[in-house]
Amino acid sequence: MGRSPLAVTSVELRDFRNYERTRLELADGLTVLAGPNGAGKTNLLEAVFFGCTARSPRTANDRELVRHGSKVARVTAATLEDGGAEHLIEVGFEPGEAKTVKIDGASVENLSTSPARPLVSVFLPERLELIKGAPGPRRAHLDHLVAALWPARAETRARYSRTLAQRNALLGRIRAGVASTGSLDVWDAELARNGVALMQDRAEATTLLAPSFAERARELGLSGDVALSYRPRSPARDAASLVAELAGRRAADLDRGFTAHGPHRDDLRLTHADRALRNFGSQGQQRVALLALLFAERDLLMVERGRPPLMLLDDVMSELDPARRDLLAGFLCGGGQALLTTTDLAHVPGAEHGAPGVVEVAEGALGGAEVREAA
């Protein structure tokens, strides 16, 4: 069977977290990283994500990625298209310097829009904040999904963010008496134009995602009515309406010194029995909701792009009952690539008998490559 489009064939780490240098080969289907706590399994997932996206799913401080005593952390990901074309993505970070990103040896500024970048999705315990935390990460997550579904629309969010920053800067100049209030008109029109387009993209993605989210949540054990809905701050359906809303709030924005209304205040709401999982869900329910969201996104990307994301899953089996483990293993083996960590192979159906593939991470070794703990 041929590889999925833009499969990740290998990832090489240098001075990343507790790894001095190692190489991980990834096959089609499910690969299991097995080993004790503290061996570096989660660090490997993080490195794969970093190599595919140029950002960490665990921290906003890239200094944490550099191995103790080293100067630069580097991850190189090799990918393969369905037609046989190979690509090499190199991401490096040195504290105090700009992050470097190269594709096939050429520097790029924005990895997210490159056709050579594979789609990737990650489940980590830290990512439960996506369900139970503030709206900001959910907005960003939804925007990343929009970009994965429709790459040409990725620039909409960037244009909106740049315009918002310009409007906020202008509010500051008006408050300082060095600009006139009327100068906001141009920025209001631009903000509204991009804002309405952004809201439409988010609404469309959520509408497509919601049915699969509800189905996956029920399959994984979240019984009852489960729903996903987009909650825009503005009811505007066109740019003129949003311009009017901004104008009506202009005095308040000048008092605050920033723009308090618009798509940058939206939310993605996840509910169970009509109650927000963020506020009323148990830890277990929130965990299932996050898994359901990620698998629903995989379902949608399979349909819209014909390209399932590489799934990175950290210790998801330990808190599931045997029936749910079998179900999840079926999801993972049903298409695309997946990389899963565990401390106990008995928790992964089939792993003890040689399928799926298993990579041992223990006692400073990974597939024969030397791995050294940070001092």
Side-chain angles (χ1 to χ4, degrees):
M1 188 175 93
R3 286 187 179 276
S4 304
L6 282 169
V8 179
T9 57
S10 67
V11 177
E12 184 172 338
L13 291 66
R14 297 195 67 174
D15 295 319
F16 187 96
R17 293 284 190 180
N18 66 315
Y19 292 93
E20 181 177 8
R21 183 168 186 172
T22 196
R23 180 183 177 89
L24 175 66
E25 303 283 344
L26 279 78
D28 288 324
L30 175 61
T31 300
V32 179
L33 299 175
N37 290 326
K41 303 184 300 298
T42 304
N43 292 345
L44 279 173
L45 294 189
E46 181 182 26
V48 174
F49 190 90
F50 185 75
C52 293
T53 67
R55 57 190 176 89
S56 167
R58 301 169 71 188
T59 179
N61 183 4
D62 287 337
R63 291 175 180 270
E64 297 176 14
L65 308 180
V66 182
R67 189 175 67 91
H68 181 70
S70 300
K71 295 181 178 180
V72 184
R74 289 190 178 90
V75 177
T76 302
T79 67
L80 181 68
E81 293 185 25
D82 224 12
E86 298 179 341
H87 299 284
L88 200 65
I89 304 171
E90 302 169 80
V91 184
F93 174 75
E94 180 178 359
E97 302 292 333
K99 190 181 298 180
T100 59
V101 182
K102 294 182 180 179
I103 297 178
D104 299 331
S107 296
V108 297
E109 292 185 2
N110 190 352
L111 181 57
S112 65
T113 58
S114 171
R117 185 185 76 81
L119 300 175
V120 60
S121 181
V122 61
F123 175 96
L124 297 168
E126 295 94 330
R127 295 210 80 201
L128 281 176
E129 283 300 310
L130 187 62
I131 305 299
K132 63 184 181 181
R138 287 188 292 277
R139 282 194 301 272
H141 186 82
L142 182 55
D143 290 338
H144 286 307
L145 176 62
V146 167
L149 289 169
W150 309 294
R153 304 188 196 181
E155 182 60 22
T156 301
R157 181 196 183 199
R159 285 196 302 265
Y160 180 84
S161 297
R162 289 194 296 266
T163 306
L164 178 63
Q166 293 281 2
R167 188 180 193 269
N168 286 338
L170 180 56
L171 288 170
R173 292 198 296 273
I174 294 170
R175 283 164 55 90
V178 296
S180 65
T181 302
S183 56
L184 282 168
D185 292 344
V186 172
W187 293 110
D188 284 3
E190 184 69 7
L191 192 71
R193 183 176 67 84
N194 292 309
V196 168
L198 181 58
M199 290 191 292
Q200 290 171 345
D201 289 345
R202 290 172 173 175
E204 184 178 356
T206 305
T207 298
L208 293 172
L209 187 64
S212 184
F213 169 73
E215 180 182 357
R216 293 304 191 193
R218 286 191 292 269
E219 289 173 336
L220 289 169
L222 201 54
S223 60
D225 185 31
V226 183
L228 181 73
S229 60
Y230 172 52
R231 293 300 178 94
R233 175 60 64 94
S234 168
R237 294 296 178 266
D238 55 51
S241 298
L242 186 50
V243 166
E245 292 173 11
L246 291 168
R249 293 166 172 80
R250 183 172 289 184
D253 285 348
L254 285 167
D255 286 341
R256 297 187 187 96
F258 62 88
T259 307
H261 182 70
H264 57 288
R265 305 299 295 274
D266 293 351
D267 199 0
L268 182 68
R269 192 165 189 259
L270 299 88
T271 60
H272 177 229
D274 293 325
R275 305 178 77 189
L277 280 161
R278 173 189 177 186
N279 305 111
F280 300 103
S282 67
Q283 184 88 351
Q285 289 173 331
Q286 292 169 344
R287 186 180 175 91
V288 167
L290 178 55
L291 279 172
L293 181 64
L294 298 181
F295 277 100
E297 290 167 0
R298 188 179 80 152
D299 294 341
L300 182 55
L301 288 165
M302 286 275 284
V303 172
E304 295 293 320
R305 295 285 303 274
R307 181 180 300 172
L310 165 61
M311 302 292 290
L312 307 174
L313 304 167
D314 190 31
D315 193 30
V316 296
M317 295 294 193
S318 62
E319 295 187 21
L320 297 176
D321 60 42
R324 303 297 178 220
R325 290 172 186 164
D326 286 337
L327 184 67
L328 189 60
F331 290 169
L332 294 172
C333 295
Q337 292 180 293
L339 191 58
L340 179 149
T341 72
T342 186
T343 57
D344 188 348
L345 284 176
H347 290 164
V348 184
E352 290 185 301
H353 307 291
V358 176
V359 175
E360 294 287 347
V361 184
E363 298 180 0
L366 170 66
E370 188 177 350
V371 178
R372 298 177 187 170
E373 290 289 341

